[in-house]
Amino acid sequence: MNMRIRPRRLRYGETLRKMVRETRVDPSSLIYPMFVKEGTGIVEEIPTMPGQYRYSIDTMERKLEELLDAGVSSVMFFGIPDHKDEVGSGAYAEDGIVQRAVRLARREFPEMYLITDVCMCEYTSHGHCGVLCGHDVDNDATLKLLAKSALSHVQAGADMVAPSDMMDGRVAAIRDILDENGYKNTPIMSYAVKYASAFYGPFRDAAGSAPAFGDRKSYQMDYHNSREGIKEALLDVQEGADIIMVKPAMSYLDMVAKIKEAVQVPVASYSVSGEYAMIKAGAKLGYIDEEKIICETAASAFRAGCDIYLTYFAKEIAQYMQEGKIG
């Protein structure tokens, strides 16, 4: 048969397949989400996320060393305080759990890039992402506290802040307060395209951040919508966001691709707790090959347009990259 064009020609042999690979990834693109809590000597496995742990500040050092050894140099801290109140004061306290974790990590691991999640849900007694007016989250009143939280994180030594609350105007509020205090070069990675998703279930168990009543659909996005996500991303870029995040990853890669086309800043995606739990559960039952699924889901995110990938499998993916199984 006379066929001049044969796509299979470029699939013969591992060397050639790697040579013509369209999507290339590197451990520097990975961020590991890390839970830190009050106390000492704590390495507490999260029941709904087997293999993931809550750490106290004194034990998190071993995990940071593991990550660095694997080639992962970026982490995002999520705090779990002992005390919660109506206004989430632990989020912006000078001696808050995240602030102390950042100070220690900055001192002991100067080579690590430290990012902090900026939100109120882990710190409020009601579990919502802002202060309440009745049973509604007061958007504008919340902005001041989010900005105050972000500033406290940067003052403690954070390299980047990542607001995840989905309040309107929070990127501008954070940009203004950082600039006013001399942190003009501190970037903001905005959870701009964050959907109200059932994939967050295990995280809420891990962080103790489930809302005490209602849900978060008045501020997180309806998962039926895509144009709304583009609008959110463009607004946040106008307000000063340096990186735009899409969350979750697995079921929202169409949004990663659309946002990549719409904005001129790097795009991140967060492979969330539910995605992690599904892979671990499927692998435990013998239904899937865990290693291959981890590689495939990560590659799919980068293929869709991710520049940055937040994942609980960061250490494993970095190892697979070094072994040539992905990237």
Side-chain angles (χ1 to χ4, degrees):
M1 186 176 292
N2 184 22
M3 284 194 291
R4 289 178 175 81
I5 299 173
R6 292 178 179 266
R8 288 185 60 194
R9 288 190 193 112
L10 298 182
R11 299 175 195 154
Y12 283 101
E14 185 67 13
T15 299
L16 181 57
R17 286 194 295 272
K18 286 185 177 180
M19 184 187 300
V20 299
R21 185 169 287 169
E22 297 174 21
T23 302
R24 299 179 185 273
V25 294
D26 183 89
S28 63
S29 62
L30 302 172
I31 299 173
Y32 179 71
M34 191 167 183
F35 300 99
V36 289
K37 66 176 296 182
E38 301 284 359
T40 57
I42 297 171
V43 180
E44 184 177 83
E45 188 167 28
I46 300 164
T48 51
M49 298 177 67
Q52 298 301 309
Y53 298 83
R54 305 178 189 95
Y55 300 92
S56 51
I57 291 175
D58 60 318
T59 61
M60 76 176 190
E61 293 184 59
R62 281 172 280 175
K63 184 62 178 180
L64 295 177
E65 288 172 356
E66 283 181 23
L67 291 167
L68 281 173
D69 288 344
V72 178
S73 58
S74 299
V75 295
M76 182 184 288
F77 286 123
F78 295 85
I80 306 171
D82 276 345
H83 171 73
K84 302 186 180 191
D85 56 33
E86 288 290 307
V87 294
S89 59
Y92 43 87
E94 184 178 350
D95 63 344
I97 181 63
V98 163
Q99 288 82 349
R100 285 185 285 122
V102 167
R103 288 192 192 98
L104 183 142
R106 180 82 296 138
R107 183 177 69 247
E108 300 298 328
F109 301 91
E111 66 273 48
M112 291 211 80
Y113 196 83
L114 308 178
I115 308 165
T116 57
D117 177 77
V118 178
C119 194
M120 309 296 291
C121 63
E122 294 126 286
Y123 304 92
T124 54
S125 52
H126 45 76
H128 278 282
C129 297
V131 294
L132 297 181
C133 180
H135 274 197
D136 185 37
V137 174
D138 188 326
N139 188 96
D140 295 5
T142 298
L143 298 183
K144 296 177 182 178
L145 301 185
L146 293 168
K148 190 174 179 181
S149 299
L151 178 61
S152 72
H153 293 174
V154 176
Q155 289 173 331
D159 295 298
M160 179 189 291
V161 291
S164 63
D165 55 284
M166 287 298 286
M167 297 298 117
D168 293 339
R170 88 271 204 214
V171 172
I174 292 171
R175 186 72 273 158
D176 287 347
I177 199 170
L178 292 182
D179 288 357
E180 289 164 7
N181 284 273
Y183 298 105
K184 292 181 172 62
N185 293 325
T186 299
I188 298 172
M189 176 164 61
S190 171
Y191 290 66
V193 189
K194 181 178 179 181
Y195 287 88
S197 171
F199 281 101
Y200 305 149
F203 176 94
R204 291 173 183 171
D205 173 45
S209 62
F213 61 88
D215 54 40
R216 294 177 176 147
K217 292 181 180 179
S218 71
Y219 41 102
Q220 294 178 0
M221 287 176 47
D222 184 340
Y223 59 71
H224 297 84
N225 297 350
S226 62
R227 286 182 298 173
E228 183 183 16
I230 295 170
K231 177 176 72 175
E232 289 277 10
L234 292 174
L235 282 171
D236 281 8
V237 170
Q238 290 172 15
E239 291 181 16
D242 302 281
I243 300 169
I244 293 296
M245 188 195 297
V246 176
K247 180 183 180 185
M250 184 185 291
S251 294
Y252 297 84
L253 296 184
D254 62 317
M255 291 307 303
V256 171
K258 289 178 181 180
I259 298 301
K260 184 75 169 182
E261 290 294 319
V263 302
Q264 300 300 312
V265 299
V267 176
S269 189
Y270 192 155
S271 181
V272 297
S273 59
E275 299 172 46
Y276 175 90
M278 288 166 61
I279 291 173
K280 296 298 285 189
K284 183 178 180 180
L285 291 169
Y287 294 163
I288 58 173
D289 183 313
E290 180 174 320
E291 179 180 300
K292 290 180 180 178
I293 291 290
I294 292 171
C295 291
E296 187 173 338
T297 52
S300 69
F302 288 109
R303 187 184 67 239
C306 276
D307 301 292
I308 300 164
Y309 192 50
L310 290 85
T311 171
Y312 300 97
F313 288 120
K315 187 176 82 168
E316 291 84 352
I317 292 170
Q319 177 185 334
Y320 300 149
M321 287 177 180
Q322 292 167 4
E323 294 171 356
K325 296 173 181 175
I326 178 178

